[in-house]
Amino acid sequence: MKQKIDLQQWPRRDHFTFFSQFEEPYFGLCAEIDCTRAYDAAKAQGISFFLYYLYRSLKAANQVAPFRYRIADGEVWEYDAVHASPTINRPDGTFGFAYMDYHEDFAAFQTSAQQEIEKVQQSTGLIPAVSGENVIHYSSIPWVKFTALSHARSFSFKDSIPKISFGKMTETVGQRSMPVSIHVHHALMDGYHVGQYLECFQELMMQY
């Protein structure tokens, strides 16, 4: 379900008009997330750490409204929920696109997500997700502790979907951290909203 935002009453109306005219309206930033407790909790429960943090990232995105905004035909729509469209790495060095529904219950998310991972890993090709606009584009680069990241983009394709990438987890004096890159459409949100997402994500990663 989705509802149209009244642009005439929207406080960011001028921002939307301004940034919508840009050839490249996306901006991005990178930050580090403390994942010490999250990693320990996932391992203690025998849970995939990837699914553990992916779920919490998706939950944070659903709690910060602008991450559920999308642009269609010059209008802004707010979805009730957004889901995950992550890249899944394969043993042969390739990857495929996947689609995972967001569930409030982690166990339900984990079950369906694991089935999707296995399906992609046993296939070939990209398998483009046919999930629509209400997704977050996720990718994981677990081999690199990056400090900056850019994405391949086709400017002729009008895209307003947030793109979140995770890097290599490293440990220093018993503390584990992981870089996170967030690229979002500036007509829909600002650095303030990305900060809200990162704060929410960090809080969720601190919970057992």
Side-chain angles (χ1 to χ4, degrees):
M1 298 291 291
K2 63 180 180 179
Q3 59 182 356
K4 186 187 297 185
I5 290 179
D6 184 353
L7 295 180
Q8 298 305 312
Q9 301 299 320
W10 195 26
R12 296 195 73 262
R13 179 187 60 186
D14 290 347
H15 302 70
F16 173 76
T17 301
F18 180 72
F19 288 110
S20 291
Q21 302 175 49
F22 283 34
E23 292 181 0
E24 170 55 299
Y26 274 75
F27 75 94
L29 57 83
C30 293
E32 283 207 348
I33 292 292
D34 184 334
C35 54
T36 308
R37 296 184 67 180
Y39 181 80
D40 291 343
K43 293 307 175 184
Q45 299 173 56
I47 295 171
S48 160
F49 181 54
F50 169 68
L51 291 182
Y52 194 91
Y53 69 68
L54 179 64
Y55 165 78
R56 281 155 180 76
S57 170
L58 189 56
K59 185 173 183 178
N62 272 284
Q63 291 182 9
V64 180
F67 278 78
R68 293 185 277 108
Y69 294 169
R70 300 292 183 272
I71 302 171
D73 298 324
E75 301 285 353
V76 178
W77 296 82
E78 179 178 357
Y79 283 88
D80 292 344
V82 289
H83 309 283
S85 181
T87 57
I88 301 300
N89 298 317
R90 299 191 182 99
D92 65 0
T94 66
F95 70 86
F97 294 125
Y99 172 77
M100 300 171 181
D101 280 319
Y102 172 65
H103 297 275
E104 280 284 347
D105 178 65
F106 173 69
F109 172 82
Q110 180 187 21
T111 298
S112 60
Q114 189 59 53
Q115 292 174 349
E116 179 72 359
I117 288 174
E118 292 172 1
K119 183 177 72 174
V120 173
Q121 289 181 333
Q122 294 171 9
S123 63
T124 59
L126 285 175
I127 319 175
V130 289
S131 53
E133 292 291 304
N134 60 325
V135 295
I136 304 289
H137 286 158
Y138 282 106
S139 57
S140 179
I141 311 171
W143 316 278
V144 181
K145 183 182 180 181
F146 56 71
T147 56
L149 187 147
S150 64
H151 290 277
R153 280 178 45 76
S154 172
F155 293 143
S156 62
F157 178 72
K158 299 302 181 181
D159 180 17
S160 60
I161 297 174
K163 302 164 197 324
I164 300 176
S165 302
F166 307 100
K168 181 180 181 179
M169 181 182 65
T170 55
E171 182 177 0
T172 304
V173 195
Q175 295 294 311
R176 299 177 185 272
S177 63
M178 177 176 64
V180 181
S181 167
I182 304 100
H183 282 73
V184 293
H185 199 299
H186 214 339
L188 298 178
M189 70 179 89
D190 308 309
Y192 170 74
H193 306 104
V194 176
Q196 287 183 314
Y197 157 79
L198 284 168
E199 182 178 1
C200 184
F201 182 32
Q202 180 64 84
E203 289 178 356
L204 292 170
M205 290 288 279
M206 299 298 288
Q207 300 173 4
Y208 280 104

